[in-house]
Amino acid sequence: MNTAILPQRPIQGLPDQLISQIAAGEVVERPSAVVKELLENALDSGASQITVRLEEGGVKRIAITDNGRGIAPEQLALALARHATSKISSLSDLENVSTLGFRGEALASIAAVAGVTLTSRTADAAHAWEIVGSHNGSVAPSSGAPGTTVEVQDLYFNTPARRKFLKSEQTEFAHCAEVVRRIALARPDVSFSLTHNGRVIDQWNICEMAKRSAHILGDGFAEARLALDECAGPLRLHGFAGLPTASKARADGQFFYVNGRFVRDKLLVHAVRAAYQDVLHGDRFPSYVLALELDPALVDVNVHPSKIEVRFRDSRAVHQFVFHAVQRALAQTSATSFGNAPAPQLAADGGLGGAASRGAMRVPEPAQSTFDAPFSPNFQRVPAASYNEFNSEVPQRSADYGVASGSAAAVAQTFYMASASTLAQEEFPLGFALGQLHGVYVLAQNSKGLVLVDMHAAHERILYEQLKTALEAQVAGQEMQVQTLLIPITFYADSVEVSTATENQASLKALGFDIASLSPTTLAVRSVPTLLKNADAQTLARDVLRDLRDYGGSRVLIERRNELLGTLACHTAVRANRILSTPEMNALLRQMEGTERADQCNHGRPTWVQVEIGALDKLFLRGQ
């Protein structure tokens, strides 16, 4: 350890060159930081076309050309001076920043650690003008089209210690390319071109946001995304949220912008992550391109020199707005999409479990058709089948695989014979059941082709949403629907389980359970939530008690609520190798169409997939 005492020196002002080099340490971390600052200046100038040329990862040369407004020759020297800018002139301007750059430090800091040549021409000028070096350099006539070109050469040539910390050429170029992609993604109204060592790497023409995001994030994201555009007061969130099935093992597909500025904000990341919580596996990361727009006075972008962090005046309101906007977008899944059908309304009657299902939709009665009870227990205008019928033991007879009789069969036959009908295409996206495969998957036919449903995962999602709705209704003052057991279920319990049940009676009651201690080693389950009445009461009780013991009653009901409800739904959902009749399978399909987030179970696995007729034709070489 070096304990040498530095010699006493008098306090003195630092030279301007050293001040700029110190500032450069904050602004110019690596070549990608230079690219970011220069691109932001180009966009602030109103450019619609930007070209980025790099050599040796940006260390040897960075040249960015735009067709913006340009800089008048008498202002070129000021552009390279420290704390000189045209974007703010008062504290009021600083509190209402609407431009990407505003500090007036970027060009001066870059010029302190690299060779800079600034060439610019305004629209009314006869020719371009050029300045080389710092703001002390002379301005000379030059050639060039209207706009500005900033050329940066030999980064850190005069600070070799900083240059030693740079990575390989390929790594530095990757960082530069990522910066260009981020900014290009935010501005589809501007064309971008990226060249490295004389070779064109990327080029994006002016286009719509949907097309630009597909170009940058790939066709996989374009085919698995949801568009959203929501407003609330001064806040607007728009862009694309990737489907949970398009999640990734890394968080490299997440792009969030605040007033056009790419940010990495913990508040916003947490809000989006929370919105995906119910549909995404914990080890996966969603992909999204989201833009938040709000009054500049409500956000402070002057938090960090790199301007990649922001601070909101009302962070809680922003968090809640983003969370609910993304959550609502994810709730509108493919299984609940009814095309051009009339706007759905909340159903008043019960679902499979007997309680009102959040998001359950009323479907208009089809013309010249009626439904038998088993077809759809969820929709108000259709006679309901009981939950017991869906969960009752069905004899494993070949007749169970047949088409339902009566008017239900007529509807199914009409669907098969006229798959292009409005009824089939718009009102029943998942179609009608054909049969079961290995006791695990339901096979159905819709207007597009074949639908494969994982019956356990689908039923698990349905029950999970119903449990959440029932618990939320209880918080709002309504009573939890419980089923009192005719004969209480007793089981052996250790001392920890008995004490947990005794100490958490209020939490158990809130969840719909009545678990009483009969002796120091015996517990009795007297009632369970109605939604779970057909499940193994002993297994449910042990799961609830385990979570109460590990996390405490208040945390289970607040922080761990969804995890617990997911566990209960998983235990209760119909299991593999359970033979379902055709009416029961159709009831499951109708339930899925009326349930939010029905495309995934609460573990993030898909509940159904679509195999289109075209794909089947290719398998059998039809039409070839």
Side-chain angles (χ1 to χ4, degrees), residues 250-314:
R250 298 170 54 194
D252 58 354
Q254 301 179 349
F255 298 84
F256 212 115
Y257 301 87
V258 175
N259 288 346
R261 185 190 311 277
F262 175 81
V263 298
R264 282 201 187 100
D265 186 83
K266 294 181 180 179
L267 177 87
L268 299 175
V269 170
H270 182 273
V272 177
R273 183 71 182 178
Y276 274 91
Q277 182 179 8
D278 274 357
V279 293
L280 196 64
H281 191 278
D283 295 333
R284 305 288 292 178
F285 295 91
S287 297
Y288 52 81
V289 180
L290 299 172
L292 177 65
E293 296 179 4
L294 71 165
D295 187 339
L298 300 179
V299 57
D300 182 6
V301 298
N302 195 24
V303 176
H304 190 273
S306 66
K307 301 189 291 291
I308 203 168
E309 299 176 10
V310 295
R311 183 183 296 117
F312 297 101
R313 179 175 295 180
D314 190 345

Side-chain angles (χ1 to χ4, degrees), residues 18 21 36 40 57 67 91 259 279 294 367 388 396 468 470 486 504 556 602:
L18 182 56
Q21 289 175 340
K36 173 182 178 293
E40 289 180 347
N67 65 344
L91 180 61
N259 288 346
V279 293
L294 71 165
N388 289 333
Q396 300 185 21
K468 286 198 300 182
L486 183 62
N504 292 275
V556 164
N602 47 295

Side-chain angles (χ1 to χ4, degrees), residues 62-119:
I62 299 172
I64 297 183
T65 302
D66 66 67
N67 65 344
R69 290 185 294 272
I71 305 173
E74 63 272 14
Q75 294 185 330
L76 282 175
L78 271 176
L80 292 173
R82 287 193 306 115
H83 306 305
T85 178
S86 62
K87 300 166 186 176
I88 58 172
S89 59
S90 66
L91 180 61
S92 176
D93 293 337
L94 184 61
E95 294 175 347
N96 294 273
V97 174
S98 59
T99 54
L100 297 175
F102 56 89
R103 293 172 177 269
E105 297 178 0
L107 286 174
S109 298
I110 295 168
V113 293
V116 174
T117 301
L118 179 59
T119 305

Side-chain angles (χ1 to χ4, degrees), residues 125-199:
H127 57 80
W129 294 83
E130 176 183 277
I131 183 172
V132 180
S134 67
H135 66 284
N136 295 321
S138 60
V139 178
S142 183
S143 61
T148 302
T149 296
V150 182
E151 186 172 339
V152 180
Q153 293 185 325
D154 296 325
L155 190 61
Y156 299 132
F157 78 96
N158 56 357
T159 52
R162 293 292 305 277
R163 191 159 186 165
K164 290 179 182 178
F165 284 92
L166 296 179
K167 304 301 182 182
S168 66
E169 174 183 330
Q170 195 58 36
T171 299
E172 296 300 338
F173 170 71
H175 284 285
C176 293
E178 179 65 17
V179 166
V180 177
R181 281 192 286 268
R182 288 175 187 167
I183 293 179
L185 192 56
R187 294 297 301 271
D189 58 325
V190 178
S191 67
F192 292 84
S193 175
L194 174 61
T195 301
H196 186 224
N197 293 335
R199 184 167 65 94

